[in-house]
Amino acid sequence: MKQRKLGPFQVSAIGLGCMNLSHAYGVPPSPEQGAEVLSRALDLGVTHFDTAALYGFGANETLVGKVLSPYRSRFTLASKCGMTGVDGKRVIDGRPETIKRTCEEALQRLATDVIDLYYLHRWDRKVPIEDSVGAMAELVREGKIRSIGLSEVSADTLRRAHAVHPVAALQTEYSLWTRNPEIAVLDACRELGVSFVAFSPLGRGFLTAALTDPAQVAAFDAKDIRRAMPRFQGEHLSANLSLLGDYTALAAEAGCTPAQLALAWLLQRGEHVLPIPGTTRLDHLEEDLAAADVVLSADMVARVERLINRSTVSGPRYNAATQTEIDTEEFPA
């Protein structure tokens, strides 16, 4: 596996987002199936595993700890605080005391003495970013985490946080169909020497071209978070599905699968960009990781970008309620 810099660490160019194994897309796979995916990823050379206290309300950290802790020296472990499950509900809480408590709980679940990269999952707007990051800086000094990350924040918030303590990585949704990082934060990361971790690099499954019919979306599990996302609803969905025929043809021309085309495009956005696709299937895992060897011509990159971009994709990525929780820059309506 090719390597890239993640803050102070050298990791596989493509990491594994572990959320899917416990959270978000309906009924998760069995722990046994999740363990197979994690173990196979490690065998295939993945050295960047990304989890969070939120995922499965602790279940994902527990799974990662149980499966991977015997091989702790072989990979870089990332997790997140600041958004957790409380009494069965998702809660954003960036108070210093909550961050410290969540870290202690995470260390227990992950069966480790230290977390390599610890993100603030969401900026709690009731708490100055300086206070939240200050608490994380104390965790660094105490040796409980090795570096600090931020998730879903703007370039301005990144700069404010970076002034308190160096930020190793910033994580935000980024793919062909979600281009918001190109407004400012991608360049800010490059300027400050901050690694950029792209979550949902496959457009929450859309860029795999496996969804071809509205009936498939209608069959999503009741707890699948995509049910509340405008891009998977009504006229937005129909408009977006109309892009897939040409997109699939471009992937075939490039000699790769649609998923690999999306990941290869991200890898060519800059050496500081690290995608973390997630999956519950071994065949999809192997397909995703093979994208590290796909090289796209400048012409192919231009054609893909003309086909799928902020002007051609229909609908916002989050509904209005969720958008209020997000600090990332937005394109004009």
Side-chain angles (χ1 to χ4, degrees):
M1 174 69 71
K2 295 177 181 177
Q3 303 290 297
R4 289 200 169 179
K5 184 179 178 183
L6 175 64
F9 312 104
Q10 286 292 122
V11 301
S12 51
I14 299 175
L16 182 68
C18 300
M19 180 182 75
N20 305 42
L21 301 177
S22 308
H23 189 83
Y25 298 120
V27 178
S30 68
E32 292 76 16
Q33 184 178 344
E36 280 189 325
V37 172
L38 292 170
S39 298
R40 182 61 176 153
L42 190 66
D43 289 343
L44 289 171
V46 173
T47 57
H48 175 198
F49 291 85
D50 182 279
T51 181
L54 177 71
Y55 303 157
F57 292 2
N60 197 249
E61 286 183 326
T62 298
L63 175 66
V64 170
K66 181 179 180 180
V67 176
L68 296 182
S69 61
Y71 316 101
R72 185 65 184 85
S73 63
R74 289 174 53 185
F75 65 91
T76 295
L77 175 63
S79 194
K80 310 178 193 70
C81 61
M83 186 161 63
T84 58
V86 179
D87 296 329
K89 296 182 179 180
R90 182 174 63 88
V91 173
I92 297 174
D93 186 347
R95 292 175 296 173
E97 59 268 29
T98 302
I99 287 172
K100 292 180 179 180
R101 185 185 72 248
T102 303
C103 181
E104 295 291 347
E105 295 167 350
L107 289 169
Q108 292 294 317
R109 289 191 291 260
L110 291 163
T112 187
D113 295 327
V114 62
I115 299 168
D116 297 313
L117 174 58
Y118 205 43
Y119 292 93
L120 185 66
H121 205 158
R122 289 288 186 275
W123 173 31
D124 180 353
R125 295 174 189 268
K126 300 186 296 296
V127 180
I129 190 66
E130 291 82 359
D131 292 357
S132 296
V133 172
M136 298 172 79
E138 290 182 22
L139 292 173
V140 173
R141 289 191 288 272
E142 293 169 2
K144 295 176 180 177
I145 67 175
R146 290 194 169 105
S147 60
I148 291 173
L150 300 174
S151 177
E152 294 272 45
V153 300
S154 65
D156 178 64
T157 302
L158 169 62
R159 294 181 193 282
R160 287 171 54 192
H162 197 70
V164 174
H165 187 280
V167 175
L170 185 148
Q171 180 174 146
T172 288
E173 182 176 357
Y174 187 33
S175 69
L176 278 164
W177 88 333
T178 296
R179 309 290 276 277
N180 303 63
E182 296 173 4
I183 299 172
V185 80
L186 198 61
D187 285 341
C189 285
R190 184 182 291 107
E191 174 192 335
L192 296 172
V194 175
S195 299
F196 184 94
V197 176
F199 77 75
S200 294
L202 300 178
R204 303 188 184 275
F206 178 82
L207 294 172
T208 67
L211 295 173
T212 58
D213 191 301
Q216 293 172 276
V217 177
F220 282 167
D221 184 85
K223 294 184 178 180
D224 192 312
I225 61 174
R226 292 173 292 183
R227 282 187 168 275
M229 294 179 172
R231 292 180 182 177
F232 290 94
Q233 299 173 349
E235 293 182 357
H236 292 314
L237 176 61
S238 297
N240 292 330
L241 289 176
S242 71
L243 300 171
L244 288 180
D246 289 343
Y247 178 68
T248 301
L250 286 175
E253 185 177 337
C256 62
T257 68
Q260 290 168 345
L261 179 59
L263 292 169
W265 176 83
L266 270 172
L267 289 170
Q268 291 184 211
R269 296 299 295 159
E271 285 294 320
H272 67 310
V273 177
L274 298 94
I276 51 167
T279 184
T280 62
R281 290 174 44 172
L282 296 180
D283 56 340
H284 288 172
L285 172 68
E286 295 175 4
E287 176 187 349
D288 291 346
L289 298 181
D293 295 320
V294 175
V295 178
L296 304 177
S297 68
D299 177 66
M300 177 59 68
V301 169
R303 291 164 65 193
V304 172
E305 290 179 347
R306 283 197 300 270
L307 177 64
I308 300 182
N309 57 64
R310 73 181 187 90
S311 298
T312 62
V313 172
S314 182
R317 67 186 181 114
Y318 288 129
N319 60 33
T322 302
Q323 190 59 50
T324 63
E325 303 171 352
I326 308 300
D327 180 48
T328 51
E329 292 90 353
E330 295 297 314
F331 290 107

